[in-house]
Amino acid sequence: MIEKTVGQIVRDMAHSYGDVEAYVYPEHQIRKTYREFDQETDDLAKAFIGLGIRKGEHVAIWSDNKREWLLSQYATGKMGAVLVTVNTNYQQAELTYLLEQSDATTLILGEEFKGTSYIEIINAICPELSASEKGNLQNSKLPHLKRVIVMSDNDYPGIFTWSEFAAYAEQVSDQTLEEQFASLHIDDVINIQYTSGTTGFPKGVMLTHSNIVNNAQLIGDYMKLTEKDRVCIPVPFFHCFGCVLGTLAAVTHGATMVLLEQFDPLKVLRAVQDEKCTALHGVPTMFIAELNHPEYHTFDTSSLRTGIMAGSPCPIEVMKKVIHDMGADEITICYGQTESSPVITQTRPDDAIEKRVATVGKPHPGVEVKIIDPLTGQEVASGEPGELCTRGYLIMKGYYNNDEATEAAIDQEGWLHTGDIAVMDEDGYIAITGRIKDMIIRGGENIYPREIEEFLYQHPAIQDVQVVGVPDAKYGEELMAWIILKEGSALTEEELRSYCRGKISHHKIPKYIEFTDAYPMTASGKIQKYVLRERSLEKTGMKTS
């Protein structure tokens, strides 16, 4: 295990690969070496200290993948403030909840995101802001919140501009920073990442330097990353995919980060081509959007070697296209969750192709995994489905200010219960078949949506498919498939059912089929199945209220 803080990793890379590009923003023509990156984050760490922010204080950050977000991640990693990541899609009620629940003393924010004014939202939450002295906000609902910083030099009442914030570095000596840097411990919490909150309120996952540095190191090792790699990262920083599998996995190996502020398939393809990226990250829906873009074939992706597909179950057919069409023949699949820092298992480039496309690989070194019967708690036999549990260095310190939820997630023996249904084969490879709450029970038969989705993906007209369960008076539940067709393709419900007959069991053929143009998505690119279930109830007339 690596016994280093996030900040020590940056300094190590500056020493070893000082002239290698640390990050590139193609859309802004910004390029910085590791030596420059180290200096930038030292300066910003001093600005945090100069502003009065202390080790252990909670600093919330709310924007898309701006350069200021990246620098803040590693500057706080050097001076010990805890970075609290905020979902870019949050609105007023959600932001209020997060700031209150996290006890954040500081909020760093962008001006807007996709037409939503973040400035208007924070002023609605804190009407006192406009009349406040900068850095001295008084709000009874959020008693801890004192400072708001905007990622621009536009002046807003009560809010520090980025330049005003950065200037506080001048008040802090190098020695003061070094003393604070040296005081950090690998088991200190350095990130609080909020879960999506699809059931109940979001929970703040407390992750330490040790959690995320070691996880990132192993992720990059599995990808065979070196200082010669260039990793395209279009996934959001606020999610662990962006800031651990993305930036930190690159930084731990001295690789270059090629960054996009927001996902756009055309910008991704252009960045891969122009920057000669060797790795590309994305959730399955991102890869699907890239592969199906009308201009896809005009771009050269031959520089690609690896990357990560993760965030939700990865369709086998999509994996095959990324390997064979895009040329990322060493791409890996990662599986995990925020509570496990986040990666539990990962495929290796030298795994057999069947294992690489049909499983999520084996557990990382130092990670224990067991598959249990969720009712009895007993381990199940090889090949039998059950709940995946994991234990090791990667487990979060707990949910912030939520002991009850922590105790529900981590048992007395230290096992994190993921809530995911998994099957482990005789070779130790794991396949994820869905969430326990997503399993469909039709007439006493357990049906896993993933199995049906994988089968339907093979139809030549289908671009994407999601299967959910809906109530049924006779069988308890029936299947409903939501299908996105490829551009220019046509398919009827009856044609699809005919395709299924004789190929899969009758009870696995969806009773309901709905064609759609898009799925409800989270800001991190995950499909919101619970929203699809709600829509399914409406479509089938099963919604009671």
Side-chain angles (χ1 to χ4, degrees):
M1 305 304 293
I2 300 170
E3 296 188 352
K4 291 183 178 179
T5 64
V6 169
Q8 285 173 315
I9 295 295
V10 177
R11 291 197 173 173
D12 285 355
M13 294 306 116
H15 180 262
S16 299
Y17 307 115
D19 294 327
V20 172
E21 284 183 337
Y23 68 90
V24 176
Y25 273 94
E27 49 199 326
H28 299 302
Q29 291 81 52
I30 297 171
R31 296 176 184 276
K32 297 291 179 179
T33 66
Y34 269 99
R35 189 175 294 108
E36 292 170 322
F37 182 48
D38 185 39
Q39 186 61 57
E40 285 181 316
T41 50
D42 269 4
D43 291 343
L44 199 62
K46 289 197 281 190
F48 278 111
I49 296 169
L51 201 57
I53 297 168
R54 296 292 168 249
K55 171 183 168 181
E57 274 191 42
H58 293 179
V59 176
I61 188 158
W62 190 33
S63 88
D64 52 10
N65 292 2
K66 288 186 166 41
R67 178 187 184 188
E68 293 84 356
W69 205 116
L70 178 77
L71 297 179
S72 296
Q73 178 184 359
Y74 292 91
T76 52
K78 286 181 170 181
M79 54 71 64
V82 178
L83 196 69
V84 179
T85 63
V86 185
N87 189 315
T88 48
N89 279 347
Y90 271 11
Q91 298 294 314
Q92 183 174 328
E94 296 153 313
L95 182 66
T96 304
Y97 167 81
L98 181 142
L99 292 173
E100 184 177 20
Q101 205 281 330
S102 69
D103 296 330
T105 67
T106 307
L107 173 64
I108 302 172
L109 76 171
E111 292 177 288
E112 60 86 34
F113 178 74
K114 294 185 176 179
T116 295
S117 170
Y118 286 178
I119 300 295
E120 287 180 11
I121 289 177
I122 191 58
N123 275 289
I125 293 170
C126 300
E128 308 89 344
L129 187 62
S130 60
S132 293
E133 175 191 358
K134 294 181 181 184
N136 193 28
L137 174 64
Q138 304 289 328
N139 179 278
S140 57
K141 177 78 172 170
L142 302 170
H144 293 276
L145 187 64
K146 299 300 174 193
R147 314 169 195 88
V148 180
I149 303 164
V150 68
M151 296 178 181
S152 86
D153 283 332
N154 292 326
D155 205 5
Y156 300 99
I159 299 176
F160 290 105
T161 67
W162 191 257
S163 292
E164 287 172 339
F165 164 48
Y168 275 85
E170 298 167 11
Q171 301 179 15
V172 178
S173 68
D174 290 346
Q175 182 181 347
T176 299
L177 173 60
E178 292 315 304
E179 289 170 356
Q180 192 137 329
F181 185 93
S183 75
L184 305 190
H185 191 275
I186 59 170
D187 291 327
D188 292 340
V189 173
I190 196 64
N191 280 177
I192 295 180
Q193 299 184 24
Y194 274 77
T195 57
S196 57
T198 55
T199 54
F201 287 102
K203 297 182 285 290
V205 176
M206 295 187 289
L207 299 175
T208 66
H209 292 273
S210 183
N211 284 151
I212 61 175
V213 165
N214 283 286
N215 206 253
Q217 180 72 44
L218 287 165
I219 290 161
D221 288 351
Y222 270 52
M223 296 172 68
K224 301 180 182 177
L225 288 184
T226 73
E227 76 281 4
K228 298 187 187 306
D229 281 295
R230 300 175 70 79
V231 186
C232 184
I233 307 172
V235 291
F237 288 165
F238 77 80
H239 190 270
C240 44
F241 197 169
C243 64
V244 182
L245 289 82
T247 69
L248 194 52
V251 170
T252 51
H253 293 79
T256 301
M257 299 171 274
V258 178
L259 303 171
L260 298 173
E261 290 189 354
Q262 294 176 24
F263 173 74
D264 177 279
L266 203 59
K267 287 182 179 179
V268 171
L269 292 167
R270 186 172 292 117
V272 168
Q273 172 183 273
D274 294 353
E275 294 296 328
K276 294 184 168 47
C277 295
T278 60
L280 173 60
H281 289 358
V283 297
T285 50
M286 291 180 176
F287 282 103
I288 290 169
E290 291 150 16
L291 287 161
N292 287 279
H293 194 280
E295 296 181 43
Y296 167 71
H297 292 289
T298 67
F299 289 95
D300 179 3
T301 61
S302 61
S303 59
L304 286 177
R305 172 184 65 81
T306 185
I308 296 173
M309 196 187 300
S312 58
C314 308
I316 292 170
E317 293 304 311
V318 176
M319 268 295 285
K320 288 178 178 175
K321 286 180 181 176
V322 171
I323 291 168
H324 298 303
D325 295 359
M326 279 190 159
D329 56 356
E330 294 185 11
I331 193 165
T332 69
I333 287 181
C334 291
Y335 158 75
Q337 52 189 215
T338 308
E339 291 86 342
S340 57
S341 303
V343 173
I344 300 168
T345 72
Q346 187 173 357
T347 59
R348 288 180 176 271
D350 53 1
D351 284 336
I353 185 71
E354 297 79 15
K355 302 291 191 187
R356 291 177 55 214
V357 300
T359 79
V360 292
K362 292 181 177 181
H364 273 173
V367 175
E368 294 179 80
V369 163
K370 66 178 180 178
I371 313 293
I372 65 166
D373 182 321
L375 298 178
T376 67
Q378 299 299 308
E379 285 195 58
V380 300
S382 176
E384 291 295 315
E387 182 182 17
L388 188 145
C389 299
T390 185
R391 184 167 68 177
Y393 81 88
L394 72 173
I395 305 304
M396 64 175 176
K397 268 207 167 174
Y399 296 116
Y400 183 70
N401 273 351
N402 197 337
D403 292 342
E404 185 180 349
T406 302
E407 289 167 13
I410 304 172
D411 66 26
Q412 292 184 333
E413 295 178 339
W415 290 97
L416 172 70
H417 291 247
T418 65
D420 287 325
I421 301 169
V423 177
M424 185 185 294
D425 67 19
E426 62 279 2
D427 298 321
Y429 288 84
I430 292 169
I432 304 299
T433 58
R435 296 287 290 166
I436 288 175
K437 64 176 183 284
D438 289 342
M439 187 176 71
I440 300 162
I441 305 175
R442 181 193 183 277
E445 296 268 7
N446 290 353
I447 301 173
Y448 302 102
R450 177 79 191 278
E451 178 190 358
I452 316 303
E453 291 163 359
E454 290 292 0
F455 170 74
L456 294 176
Y457 269 118
Q458 297 172 37
H459 192 289
I462 291 177
Q463 175 174 310
D464 206 350
V465 55
Q466 296 294 317
V467 173
V468 296
V470 293
D472 182 78
K474 182 176 180 181
Y475 293 107
E477 279 188 292
E478 278 285 7
L479 280 69
M480 182 164 188
W482 290 81
I483 290 167
I484 297 176
L485 294 177
K486 291 178 180 174
E487 193 170 344
S489 296
L491 188 66
T492 67
E493 293 181 37
E494 189 46 46
E495 285 170 344
L496 186 57
R497 290 196 183 95
S498 296
Y499 174 80
C500 295
R501 290 187 193 111
K503 298 190 183 82
I504 57 173
S505 302
H506 173 75
H507 68 277
K508 294 179 181 177
I509 299 175
K511 180 177 180 179
Y512 304 102
I513 296 170
E514 187 73 23
F515 296 98
T516 186
D517 294 327
Y519 299 127
M521 309 281 278
T522 68
S524 54
K526 290 184 180 180
I527 294 164
Q528 296 173 306
K529 277 209 166 179
Y530 74 101
V531 177
L532 273 184
R533 277 192 289 272
E534 284 288 309
R535 292 182 185 175
S536 300
L537 293 177
E538 292 172 3
K539 286 285 183 182
T540 57
M542 297 291 181
K543 194 172 178 71
T544 55
S545 61

